Amino acid sequence: MTKFSDIKGFAFDLDGVIADTARFHGQAWHQTADEVGTTWTEELAESLKGISRMDSLQLILDHGDHADSFSEKDKELLATKKNLNYQKLIETLTPEDILPGMLEFIRSADDNGYKMSIASASKNAPLILKQLGLTEYFVGIVDPATLHAGKPDPEIFVRAAEVLGLAPTAVIGLEDSSAGIDSINGAGQVSLGIGDDKVLSKATLNFKQTSLVTLENIKNKMTN
Ligand code: G6P
Ligand code: MG
């Protein structure tokens, strides 16, 4: 088992870990679901977490049983419209919207010499970090446009460790989605799940909410 003293860096998911943007994605996709005639449910919203824009749209279409009713061009238009609606919502973000405790955690990790990178499927990650005033804390952001496969594939967290210049076993990945936990585990890192431990049952470490994520609490849950 990885020891806390082996850890040298953190790879962060963004939506639902650093900022409460999952509700904005939900709001914007809800509009898309209404437009294409798919019933919006909490379960559907949960299954979209961590999933790329086009794959999310496909899940919404499949859920309403009309996967074949839309051409590739229609899908591009629907995804673009969703993103424009989403961007209107994230433009309102300020540092006040950082999830409870995460600014303190990021600052203390920085003060203690840990390196940090972003492993988010979102092409809007640079804009969100800027709005939140957090850009300077991260040595890099994996560009999701360059990936061959999205979460749950390990690629994004493998790349996030490369950005840090660290072995995967020296990295803790933080995630709020089940697809993301699978990606971290596949990359050979310690997975830290934030949220319901039934949904995130495969996480190495689990925290109910962001405010509980501190270096001290992580250390206490690991061997030292
Ligand atoms: C994150 C979110 C997903 C979102 C994806 C792509 O992983 O959890 O809900 O679909 O990013 O985001 P984007 O901003 O590129 O549409
Ligand atoms: Mg997330």
Side-chain angles (χ1 to χ4, degrees), residues 15 25 48-53 56 82 86 121-124:
D15 295 308
H25 277 297
L48 302 181
K49 287 185 185 169
I51 305 300
S52 74
R53 197 179 305 163
S56 296
K82 180 267 171 179
Y86 177 66
S122 175
K123 294 178 176 158
N124 291 298

Side-chain angles (χ1 to χ4, degrees), residues 93-107:
L93 286 173
T94 71
E96 300 283 301
D97 296 296
I98 297 173
L99 281 164
M102 284 319 266
L103 178 59
E104 294 75 7
F105 176 66
I106 290 167
R107 277 190 182 147

Side-chain angles (χ1 to χ4, degrees), residues 92-179:
T92 66
L93 286 173
T94 71
E96 300 283 301
D97 296 296
I98 297 173
L99 281 164
M102 284 319 266
L103 178 59
E104 294 75 7
F105 176 66
I106 290 167
R107 277 190 182 147
S108 74
D110 188 51
D111 286 346
N112 285 280
Y114 292 94
K115 291 203 268 176
M116 293 175 276
S117 63
I118 297 286
S120 167
S122 175
K123 294 178 176 158
N124 291 298
L127 171 63
I128 295 170
L129 286 177
K130 185 168 166 262
Q131 296 282 122
L132 300 176
L134 293 175
T135 310
E136 61 174 313
Y137 288 103
F138 297 92
V139 295
I141 303 172
V142 177
D143 178 0
T146 62
L147 298 173
H148 300 98
K151 299 170 190 176
D153 189 279
E155 188 181 10
I156 190 165
F157 277 95
V158 168
R159 292 271 304 281
E162 286 170 7
V163 165
L164 296 171
L166 295 172
T169 48
V171 176
I172 292 180
L174 294 87
E175 262 290 347
D176 69 319
S177 75
S178 157

Side-chain angles (χ1 to χ4, degrees), residues 6 24 39 66 98 100 117 120-121 125 131 179 188-189 213 218 220:
D6 296 334
F24 290 156
T39 309
H66 30 233
I98 297 173
S117 63
S120 167
Q131 296 282 122
Q189 299 165 10
V213 181
I218 294 172
N220 288 338

Side-chain angles (χ1 to χ4, degrees), residues 148-217:
H148 300 98
K151 299 170 190 176
D153 189 279
E155 188 181 10
I156 190 165
F157 277 95
V158 168
R159 292 271 304 281
E162 286 170 7
V163 165
L164 296 171
L166 295 172
T169 48
V171 176
I172 292 180
L174 294 87
E175 262 290 347
D176 69 319
S177 75
S178 157
I181 294 294
D182 286 345
S183 175
I184 299 169
N185 290 340
Q189 299 165 10
V190 172
S191 54
L192 187 160
I194 301 169
D196 190 335
D197 58 4
K198 287 185 202 77
V199 178
L200 307 175
S201 59
K202 287 187 251 170
T204 326
L205 313 170
N206 188 272
F207 289 91
K208 280 225 156 7
Q209 56 209 43
T210 52
S211 60
L212 299 171
V213 181
T214 63
L215 288 173
E216 195 58 27
N217 287 346

